[in-house]
Amino acid sequence: MKKILYVASTYSHINNFHTPYIDELKKENHVDVLSKGSESTFNINFKKKIYSLKNIFSIFKIRKILKRNQYDLIVLNTSLAAFLVRCSLFFYRNRPKVINIVHGYLFGEKTNSLKRFFYLKLERIVRKKTDYILTMNQYDFDIAKSKKLSLNEPIMIPGMGVSRINEDQLENPYDTSKFNLLFVGELSNRKNQIELINSVKELKESISNIHLTLLGEGNLKNKLLKIINKENLSSYVSLKGYIERPANYYKYCDLYVSSSLQEGLPFNLIHALEFNKNIICSSIKGHIDIASKTNLVTLYENKKDLCEKVIRYHQNKWESNSNEVFEFYSFDRVFQGNLNVIKTLID
């Protein structure tokens, strides 16, 4: 029986993406979880700012845990936790094997050069403590390969699996007299909802009944509300907060949009495709991968381009079918393949 440590910055990440894998691995191995959360085997209070002094103390805590338990394999998730755990392996004799599942590097095509250099430098520092990297989009795969961010060749996987959210007897939550746009995601600078709100300000001149619905919570909520009120957009933009079952919002929106600046594998786009929705989204990693698989996804380069494409769609409303794309990323399809990859690397 092998001893495995699963790692993420928060336990919610483990719960959302990895519980089925852990349950299956537990049938033949001993598996512990290290993350921020009382449900974890080891509760480590990771701080979001990577240079926080508390994170340095966490490195020493993790080091003690690893020495005490003598794991055979560490499975890393989320950039912060993955970096700190690998830092704890310096000067560690006979260290465990390390798999880093990259859900999305903290940089992409539109990241400024200084920030990109900083995060790439961190990955280079710990590359010799990384046996294997599993990536979820072509950009991250190419970076991992060209920059040699692991001791072995990176492996591309189609995410950890997206579960179907389709439900029967869904009620339409929208005002059907409106042309309804939807975006689901944390209210944050990374998701860039400000660009969508500013676009609606311009689009309402051409599409008088346009309405944008934003689902999600986040630290940008108050700022977004101030912009909406300042620009008199309360009739055109709604912040609905976190919705536990968003299926009816996906099903009945007229167009799905995403302004995100950085993604690994965007589940929100995949769920929109589950309901055969047309999508207009920013031209970034993750989005580009999905757009390559279906003509339902249209990429935009800037706010002007976004507005032009929304107007064009409103006038023409092109259609297609995206079931094959959803199935490609679905949990039922990818689970066993991903599990086999992990089991192979364990051995």
Side-chain angles (χ1 to χ4, degrees):
M1 178 178 283
K2 299 288 180 70
K3 294 185 71 175
I4 302 171
L5 182 66
Y6 249 83
V7 176
S9 296
T10 62
Y11 188 79
S12 61
H13 177 94
I14 295 288
N15 193 45
N16 289 336
F17 300 106
H18 302 283
T19 300
Y21 295 91
I22 291 172
D23 289 343
E24 193 65 28
L25 290 170
K26 279 182 175 179
K27 293 178 181 179
E28 298 176 354
N29 307 277
H30 175 89
V31 184
D32 290 334
V33 173
L34 186 151
S35 66
K36 182 179 180 179
S38 57
E39 307 94 329
S40 303
T41 315
F42 305 107
N43 184 358
I44 300 294
N45 189 18
F46 293 110
K47 297 298 179 183
K48 280 194 172 182
K49 291 184 178 178
I50 199 163
Y51 45 80
S52 168
L53 187 61
K54 290 185 178 180
N55 281 335
I56 296 174
F57 289 134
S58 293
I59 290 173
F60 290 102
K61 287 182 183 178
I62 295 166
R63 188 174 179 84
K64 288 181 180 179
I65 291 168
L66 298 182
K67 282 197 168 186
R68 185 167 65 245
N69 290 278
Q70 294 296 306
Y71 292 102
D72 300 292
L73 174 71
I74 302 175
V75 181
L76 301 173
N77 301 275
T78 66
S79 297
L80 173 63
F83 175 72
L84 295 177
V85 169
R86 285 176 290 175
C87 284
S88 73
L89 293 173
F90 279 98
F91 311 111
Y92 190 112
R93 291 185 179 181
N94 301 317
R95 68 167 177 82
K97 187 182 292 182
V98 174
I99 300 173
N100 185 21
I101 302 178
V102 178
H103 294 256
Y105 284 125
L106 296 177
F107 53 85
E109 305 92 324
K110 296 188 177 181
T111 308
N112 70 65
S113 57
L114 185 60
K115 184 177 180 180
R116 184 179 184 277
F117 173 81
F118 173 73
Y119 283 116
L120 188 53
K121 187 69 174 178
L122 294 182
E123 291 296 327
R124 291 284 296 169
I125 288 171
V126 294
R127 63 172 293 276
K128 290 187 177 179
K129 307 302 175 187
T130 313
D131 295 289
Y132 294 95
I133 287 176
L134 276 56
T135 66
M136 302 183 187
N137 62 63
Q138 192 64 48
Y139 179 93
D140 288 344
F141 177 86
D142 292 342
I143 285 288
K145 185 179 178 69
S146 64
K147 302 299 182 182
K148 296 181 170 56
L149 298 182
S150 59
L151 297 177
N152 296 282
E153 289 287 297
I155 300 168
M156 176 84 90
I157 61 171
M160 302 310 295
V162 182
S163 297
R164 191 175 291 278
I165 63 168
N166 203 347
E167 300 174 9
D168 294 331
Q169 299 177 336
L170 299 178
E171 295 182 0
N172 191 338
Y174 300 107
D175 178 348
T176 54
S177 68
K178 306 287 189 181
F179 177 62
N180 289 292
L181 277 58
L182 173 67
F183 180 44
V184 181
E186 178 189 12
L187 304 180
S188 65
N189 288 320
R190 185 167 72 90
K191 297 297 183 180
N192 194 28
Q193 285 92 345
I194 288 175
E195 183 168 70
L196 294 179
I197 293 171
N198 288 333
S199 296
V200 168
K201 180 184 175 182
E202 295 185 18
L203 283 165
K204 68 185 180 66
E205 303 302 323
S206 301
I207 308 173
S208 59
N209 66 335
I210 195 167
H211 191 90
L212 169 66
T213 298
L214 300 174
L215 302 189
E217 293 286 353
N219 56 22
L220 214 65
K221 183 175 183 178
N222 290 335
K223 183 177 181 179
L224 296 180
L225 285 171
K226 285 180 181 179
I227 294 172
I228 291 168
N229 292 329
K230 181 182 177 182
E231 301 295 340
N232 296 315
L233 294 173
S234 56
S235 299
Y236 299 92
V237 182
S238 298
L239 272 62
K240 296 292 187 180
Y242 173 75
I243 303 294
E244 186 174 356
R245 294 184 176 181
N248 54 342
Y249 284 92
Y250 280 109
K251 181 177 177 64
Y252 291 107
C253 73
D254 294 301
L255 178 66
Y256 192 85
V257 290
S258 174
S259 51
S260 185
L261 297 173
Q262 174 199 314
E263 291 289 349
L265 184 65
F267 279 24
N268 58 338
L269 261 64
I270 297 169
H271 282 310
L273 292 174
E274 178 185 350
F275 293 94
N276 284 323
K277 292 298 168 181
N278 284 280
I279 299 168
I280 298 177
C281 58
S282 48
S283 182
I284 59 167
K285 66 177 184 175
H287 288 176
I288 293 171
D289 293 69
I290 295 176
S292 70
K293 295 178 173 61
T294 173
N295 60 4
L296 274 178
V297 178
T298 301
L299 302 171
Y300 75 84
E301 297 296 335
N302 50 48
K303 188 181 74 171
K304 180 183 178 183
D305 192 27
L306 167 62
C307 291
E308 289 175 353
K309 285 174 176 172
V310 170
I311 292 170
R312 197 181 312 149
Y313 175 76
H314 180 255
Q315 294 171 341
N316 299 312
K317 294 185 175 60
W318 55 87
E319 294 182 2
S320 186
N321 188 297
S322 62
N323 287 336
E324 290 182 5
V325 178
F326 176 80
E327 293 302 331
F328 180 84
Y329 293 107
S330 70
F331 178 81
D332 291 341
R333 178 185 177 275
V334 309
F335 172 69
Q336 194 58 52
N338 286 349
L339 187 65
N340 291 342
V341 169
I342 296 170
K343 284 183 174 181
T344 299
L345 298 183
I346 290 172
D347 297 331

